Amino acid sequence: MITIREFLKAKLNRYGIDASDNEMEVATIDAGVAGDYTTAPYEAENATAPKKALVFMVRDILAQPDVSEGEYSANWDRSSVQKLHDSLCREIGLENTQPTVQDLSNIW
């Protein structure tokens, strides 16, 4: 059986994202994961809190800019990460609170 930590790492690694233990700990606390996320088993009947933690982490990731400096570049497929976020929100019943940009130039 995998732990909640392993679940979070595996989901994020699929999108090329590496999260620190500190980021995961904060997200799991905010999401209400009971117990130590590094040893607590991921179970289907209690999957809502770990998935909520994943949503919190993905929101932070989506807010980060892509970085490109010389030969170094850090970016990921934003549309895939956004789809993951939207899917998780629907699955666990969270309101999708991602900001949207609206064209209001016609009121000027």
Side-chain angles (χ1 to χ4, degrees):
M1 182 172 290
I2 70 168
T3 65
I4 293 171
R5 178 184 184 275
E6 292 167 336
F7 163 76
L8 294 172
K9 280 236 182 241
K11 282 289 192 180
L12 293 173
N13 283 341
R14 180 179 293 160
Y15 296 92
I17 299 165
D18 188 34
S20 73
D21 285 334
N22 290 340
E23 291 171 308
M24 286 190 284
E25 184 172 4
V26 169
T28 55
I29 290 169
D30 290 347
V33 172
D36 181 2
Y37 81 101
T38 63
T39 58
Y42 176 82
E43 299 170 330
E45 60 269 8
N46 298 323
T48 301
K51 288 180 180 179
K52 190 174 182 182
L54 187 57
V55 168
F56 293 163
M57 294 176 73
V58 169
R59 284 182 182 166
D60 287 345
I61 291 163
L62 287 170
Q64 295 176 2
D66 290 337
V67 176
S68 182
E69 191 172 310
E71 296 291 317
Y72 175 78
S73 179
N75 58 20
W76 47 84
D77 185 354
R78 286 191 182 279
S79 65
S80 292
V81 175
Q82 182 67 52
K83 287 176 186 176
L84 170 66
H85 174 270
D86 296 346
S87 172
L88 286 167
C89 285
R90 279 191 306 277
E91 184 178 335
I92 62 176
L94 278 180
E95 183 179 344
N96 188 346
T97 58
Q98 284 294 314
T100 57
V101 176
Q102 297 178 328
D103 180 8
L104 298 177
S105 60
N106 62 341
I107 62 171
W108 288 72

